[in-house]
Amino acid sequence: MTANPYRAPLLPTRPLAAVAEFESRNHPTAPPAEDRRPRRVRRVRSGIGTALAGHGLAVALPLLPATLADEPGTVYVVSGIAAQLLLAAVVVALGIARTVRRDGSNGVGLVIGWVAGVPIAAVGGIALLIALTA
């Protein structure tokens, strides 16, 4: 086999000037995985708790106008649905804002808490509606 005439010859020694590798100070290094995980879990739990507290307010706040009205059942249903729709809009807005701020774990927690709280709020709202109309 003959030598390839298009191949560069091998260097007998290292290059005279080696490129130095420097770390950029503009980009912070990510913490180790062990440090990040508990913080993310706490942020998800915080979002879940916030959404569940919002459901509690959305079920309890319509009681005030319902107790003052002549027909408490109708007022409670209308104001309860309005409160739940407002809560859904707030959860979507906060989830987007948290994700833009690079805190997606809190946004995920908000969505999980809102979805988990819907059946709980529905059962609680129906129970309160029955108590109001009785």
Side-chain angles (χ1 to χ4, degrees), residues 1-7:
M1 189 172 228
T2 61
N4 186 353
Y6 301 107
R7 185 172 179 186

Side-chain angles (χ1 to χ4, degrees), residues 58-60 63 76-77 84 118-132:
V59 170
L63 284 173
Y76 182 74
V77 168
Q84 288 294 332
V118 167
I120 298 168
V123 169
I126 291 171
L128 286 172
L129 179 64
I130 291 171
L132 280 173

